[in-house]
Amino acid sequence: MSFISKILFISLFLTTTISANSIDDKILEFEKNRFSNNKRVEIKNLSINFKKSLPVKNWYGYIIDIDAKIADKNVKAKDIVFSNGTVVSPDLFDIKTGNSLKEMMTLPLTSKYYDKKRLIAGNHDAKDKIVIFSDPLCPFCLDYVPDIIKFVNKNSQNIALYYYHFPLLQIHKAANALSKAMLVASNKGVKDVTLKVYEADFDSYFNADEADEKKILNAFNKVLKTNIKLDEIQNKEIQKEIQKDLLMGENVMVEGTPTIFVNGEQDKTKNKYKQLGR
């Protein structure tokens, strides 16, 4: 490449970068103005967490991190918008399928999600890694999670499976105490805790909206043949671990269960894990 060609290439690169940055700044300014129209909202900071090129010419999806104060309460949230640099849209739909392009806007996992403490099956050093966020009382999870665990157990040298507690307390109040008992049991070295819980029939012991932690723990101890004390699941450190799992999920936009990531990418089909270990 000649000296002149190099100069032209660098100039074109800088122009493109400046243009892209300018558009990104406009997106942030637009979002700031939009939220500021609500007098109850005070924006403290906005930043672009993730930007993705879409299968639509010149359109990009943005995941925006929002740090705001709403009615004197500090709130951290994420928002998704789409733009071609001229207009901004809260959503785009595929005209053929009717599917929202928001389905494409998922955050990739970092290596911190491959925490050995959260390994429930397989080999921590395996190349292929699965991360699942689940609620032990979620009906779909009860069918789905055991299948994944058994699949990984059959391919235990080639796959690592990590489990994060994501109790959906608005619909399964009892899931919090059950998740804490699972965590305590795992910390005590009880084997196959997750599989045992998901294959157990807790319906005959308590309802999903049960608030009595002693009743839930008694059922857990009976089914898993453990002897966990009430003060162990009510320990503040255990609750902090559950909250940490919830935050780990929220940071990658987990909203429901089960949510599964295969090799760092969220799998909306929930079936890609079946292609691993081959």
Side-chain angles (χ1 to χ4, degrees):
M1 184 183 288
S2 68
F3 178 77
I4 297 295
S5 297
K6 288 181 180 179
I7 294 296
L8 289 173
F9 175 80
I10 293 171
S11 298
L12 178 60
F13 174 79
L14 290 175
T15 301
T16 303
T17 303
I18 292 169
S19 175
N21 289 340
S22 176
I23 292 172
D24 293 353
D25 289 342
K26 287 178 180 178
I27 297 297
L28 290 176
E29 187 65 24
F30 175 87
E31 284 286 270
K32 183 177 180 180
N33 291 335
R34 183 166 69 91
F35 286 114
S36 297
N37 287 332
N38 187 332
K39 294 181 179 180
R40 297 175 65 250
V41 178
E42 177 189 345
I43 296 296
K44 297 167 68 175
N45 186 53
L46 287 175
S47 60
I48 295 173
N49 182 306
F50 185 67
K51 178 181 178 180
K52 184 173 186 176
S53 177
L54 301 175
V56 184
K57 188 176 181 180
N58 298 328
W59 278 84
Y60 291 87
Y62 293 84
I63 296 177
I64 310 293
D65 281 341
I66 304 166
D67 186 358
K69 182 178 284 188
I70 303 176
D72 296 324
K73 182 180 179 180
N74 291 325
V75 174
K76 291 184 182 293
K78 287 179 170 57
D79 189 33
I80 297 175
V81 295
F82 302 93
S83 180
N84 63 354
T86 303
V87 297
V88 177
S89 173
D91 208 345
L92 291 175
F93 295 88
D94 186 313
I95 199 168
K96 292 181 180 179
T97 65
N99 294 334
S100 167
L101 294 193
K102 279 188 174 181
E103 293 293 309
M104 302 177 60
M105 299 303 295
T106 58
L107 289 170
L109 298 187
T110 62
S111 60
K112 72 178 181 180
Y113 285 84
Y114 306 135
D115 182 350
K116 199 169 186 178
K117 285 179 61 178
R118 295 292 180 258
L119 184 76
I120 62 167
N123 174 17
H124 177 63
D125 296 321
K127 178 182 177 181
D128 289 323
K129 299 184 185 294
I130 302 170
V131 173
I132 189 165
F133 291 84
S134 181
D135 175 327
L137 294 178
C138 157
F140 186 62
C141 295
L142 293 176
D143 289 330
Y144 184 73
V145 173
D147 287 346
I148 293 183
I149 294 174
K150 292 171 184 177
F151 178 86
V152 173
N153 284 339
K154 290 179 180 178
N155 298 274
S156 59
Q157 291 304 308
N158 302 316
I159 309 172
L161 174 60
Y162 304 86
Y163 179 96
Y164 284 84
H165 298 278
F166 205 80
L168 304 173
L169 302 185
Q170 291 184 338
I171 53 177
H172 306 137
K173 189 180 296 183
N176 190 51
L178 191 54
S179 295
K180 290 191 293 183
M182 290 171 65
L183 189 52
V184 171
S186 295
N187 290 346
K188 284 175 171 284
V190 177
K191 300 294 184 183
D192 302 320
V193 173
T194 307
L195 183 59
K196 290 175 181 176
V197 166
Y198 277 75
E199 291 190 327
D201 178 18
F202 286 113
D203 288 344
S204 58
Y205 294 96
F206 58 83
N207 295 321
D209 61 352
E210 179 62 61
D212 186 341
E213 292 196 331
K214 184 176 181 180
K215 183 176 181 179
I216 297 165
L217 181 59
N218 286 341
F220 182 92
N221 281 330
K222 185 173 182 178
V223 172
L224 271 75
K225 297 179 173 56
T226 51
N227 188 31
I228 296 170
K229 308 299 183 185
L230 187 61
D231 61 353
E232 291 183 274
I233 70 167
Q234 293 179 339
N235 183 290
K236 290 182 179 179
E237 293 305 312
I238 293 298
Q239 187 61 55
K240 282 182 182 178
E241 285 203 56
I242 298 295
Q243 291 300 323
K244 181 180 177 181
D245 278 13
L246 286 166
L247 183 59
M248 293 280 277
E250 290 168 0
N251 284 342
V252 287
M253 301 179 71
V254 172
E255 295 179 341
T257 58
T259 296
I260 183 171
F261 292 80
V262 177
N263 290 328
E265 298 294 330
Q266 188 178 148
D267 175 22
K268 299 282 188 176
T269 73
K270 297 180 173 57
N271 286 316
K272 290 181 180 177
Y273 75 90
K274 296 176 182 177
Q275 305 303 315
L276 304 179
R278 294 184 175 182

